[in-house]
Amino acid sequence: MQKTILVTGATDGIGLETVKMLAPIGHTILLHGRDRAKLDRVESILSGLPGHGRIASYVADLSRMDEVTAMAAAVADDHGKIDALINNAGVFRTRNPITEDGLDLRFAVNTIAPYLLTKTLLPLIPADGRVINLSSAAQAPVNLQALAGLSNLGSDNAAYAQSKLALTMWSRALALSLGEAGPAIIAVNPRSLLGSKMVKEAYGMDGADLRIGADILCRAALSEEFATASGKYFDNDIGRFTSPHPDGLNREKCERIVKVIEQILQEKIQ
Ligand SMILES: NC(=O)c1ccc[n+]([C@@H]2O[C@H](COP(=O)([O-])OP(=O)(O)OC[C@H]3O[C@@H](n4cnc5c(N)ncnc54)[C@H](OP(=O)(O)O)[C@@H]3O)[C@@H](O)[C@H]2O)c1
């Protein structure tokens, strides 16, 4: 059956490979990017693939929550239903770590924006739908002050690893709170050191075939094996569901992350 699938960060790396895999199956693909010219290029690549279905694109800088809200509204205006949301966009290294909202860029893009997008689009995602959140093997205990933009972390590694655990933790909390009434919310490490620009910039290495990551995201979004995986963490370094960092299984800590994100969105942004 044809699905409607929204992929953030579809203009490069794993996200681009994922939409290239999904489009020829005839699914409706909603592309997200922050750069209109890059999005147009991806739209034309997908439109040239045999078997493609409808393709639409949305621009938003995910470091700006007003743009996330506007994008969600535009998607909701255009589509009655989203079968799968793949929160793939992410950032590791930056020269300007603090956003206009006073947040660390990694927490803003990797943790808070996908939360806001997911919560806003939730009414459009059916109970048998999926939200796939791009986690990582890099996971470190979250400094709540830093998440809220009240202190600096000082290193790209720390900010990235904390943002990815925070994402994994809100995935778990949201999955538990929605239960069977909501879509499956699943955190996925697509495989470490896949050859994207993020990995090339961060580690100066070519990295592995991006299609390894795209393949697991397609499976997570569409295949039966992930249908009852809400709240779980899939680690593609070992090819199976496993435990994330212990904080990711601590319900109280996971709920605290959600509370802090909700506070940030209320006080600073909306
Ligand atoms: N590669 C790996 O080995 C690996 C391992 C574990 C997890 N991951 C995760 O996988 C996801 C994809 O990463 P990747 O390796 O494919 O990296 P990538 O090639 O750098 O792609 C990142 C995507 O996110 C978009 N993006 C970045 N900042 C944004 C912002 N402020 N607003 C909107 N979009 C933004 C980028 O847009 P532009 O095209 O405009 O730059 C790009 O489309 C990330 O969440 C990453 O943390 C990757």
Side-chain angles (χ1 to χ4, degrees):
M1 209 176 76
Q2 305 315 334
K3 308 267 187 191
T4 299
I5 304 169
L6 169 57
V7 182
T8 70
T11 45
D12 216 320
I14 302 167
L16 175 56
E17 284 308 314
T18 302
V19 296
K20 279 171 29 189
M21 255 179 215
L22 289 168
I25 316 169
H27 298 299
T28 295
I29 308 294
L30 312 186
L31 307 166
H32 155 267
R34 59 179 156 176
D35 179 325
R36 171 47 63 195
K38 258 184 126 169
L39 269 174
D40 287 347
R41 274 201 297 278
V42 177
E43 253 193 273
S44 87
I45 292 171
L46 299 191
S47 304
L49 298 175
H52 75 83
R54 192 174 157 203
I55 299 158
S57 61
Y58 299 87
V59 185
D61 180 343
L62 299 186
S63 71
R64 298 188 45 140
M65 299 308 137
D66 55 340
E67 294 199 14
V68 179
T69 307
M71 170 187 157
V75 169
D77 272 354
D78 296 346
H79 306 275
K81 187 177 162 203
I82 307 288
D83 297 290
L85 163 61
I86 303 182
N87 283 310
N88 163 77
V91 59
F92 178 96
R93 180 163 283 179
T94 177
R95 271 195 229 113
N96 302 310
I98 307 300
T99 70
E100 282 179 33
D101 297 316
L103 300 167
D104 182 283
L105 182 70
R106 279 56 59 98
F107 280 126
V109 173
N110 302 352
T111 309
I112 301 168
Y115 178 85
L116 178 58
L117 187 62
T118 302
K119 283 299 291 269
T120 315
L121 291 178
L122 216 42
L124 273 64
I125 310 176
D128 64 353
R130 314 260 171 99
V131 176
I132 309 303
N133 288 333
L134 270 281
S135 185
S136 169
Q139 299 178 11
V142 182
N143 175 332
L144 296 176
Q145 295 281 104
L147 172 60
L150 302 174
S151 65
N152 291 336
L153 288 171
S155 99
D156 292 327
N157 281 314
Y160 181 78
Q162 291 192 27
S163 73
K164 288 297 178 180
L165 181 56
L167 172 82
T168 307
M169 291 170 80
W170 76 242
S171 305
R172 172 98 176 154
L174 186 59
L176 292 175
S177 81
L178 292 172
E180 288 185 1
I185 319 278
I186 305 163
V188 174
N189 165 28
R191 177 78 66 91
S192 298
L193 302 178
L194 296 172
S196 63
K197 75 172 181 315
M198 179 189 287
V199 161
K200 286 173 187 155
E201 280 168 13
Y203 304 107
M205 63 184 333
D206 283 345
D209 190 341
L210 289 169
R211 286 172 300 182
I212 297 168
D215 182 63
I216 195 61
L217 294 188
C218 294
R219 278 169 57 196
L222 296 169
S223 82
E224 265 315 295
E225 59 188 314
F226 283 80
T228 55
S230 198
K232 291 189 180 174
Y233 168 65
F234 188 92
D235 183 356
N236 206 31
D237 285 342
I238 54 173
R240 60 179 166 80
F241 291 100
T242 187
S243 298
H245 182 285
D247 285 1
L249 294 177
N250 181 318
R251 187 163 188 168
E252 210 186 308
K253 285 187 179 177
C254 292
E255 284 169 357
R256 209 172 306 144
I257 294 287
V258 169
K259 232 182 221 156
V260 172
I261 295 174
E262 291 280 1
Q263 262 165 15
I264 295 164
L265 291 172
Q266 242 174 33
E267 288 167 19
K268 289 203 168 188
I269 292 149
Q270 288 176 331

